[in-house]
C-alpha cells in the first residue's frame, strides 16, 4: 500500500513540475500553457531517458 501512495505522490509532483515549467514558458513565449504541457508530456521527447531527481521529505 505504501508503494502505490509513494508512486502517486511522485506522479503528482511530476505533474506539478510540468505545469510550473509550462506556465512559466507560456508567460515568456505567449504560447498556450495547454500546448506546452502536452509537448513536455510527449513520450517521444529527446530527453525521455532523463528522470526527475527523487524527492526527499
Amino acid at each position: 500500500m505504501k508503494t502505490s501512495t509513494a508512486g502517486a505522490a511522485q506522479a503528482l509532483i511530476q505533474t506539478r513540475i510540468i505545469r510550473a515549467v509550462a506556465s512559466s514558458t507560456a508567460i515568456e513565449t505567449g504560447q498556450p500553457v495547454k500546448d506546452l504541457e502536452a509537448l513536455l508530456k510527449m513520450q517521444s521527447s529527446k530527453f525521455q531517458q532523463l528522470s526527475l531527481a527523487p524527492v526527499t521529505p
Side-chain angles (χ1 to χ4, degrees), residues 26-38:
I27 291 168
E28 293 179 15
T29 63
Q31 295 177 320
V33 175
K34 192 176 195 177
D35 293 347
L36 293 169
E37 274 188 85

Side-chain angles (χ1 to χ4, degrees), residues 40-57:
L40 290 170
K41 289 180 182 179
M42 274 182 27
Q43 293 298 325
S44 63
S45 170
K46 65 181 179 179
F47 300 111
Q48 182 179 357
Q49 75 280 6
L50 301 177
S51 61
L52 296 174
V55 177
T56 55

Side-chain angles (χ1 to χ4, degrees), residues 7-23:
Q10 183 67 25
L12 180 61
I13 290 168
Q14 185 172 4
T15 300
R16 288 180 177 175
I17 290 171
I18 289 172
R19 172 73 48 95
V21 170
S23 62

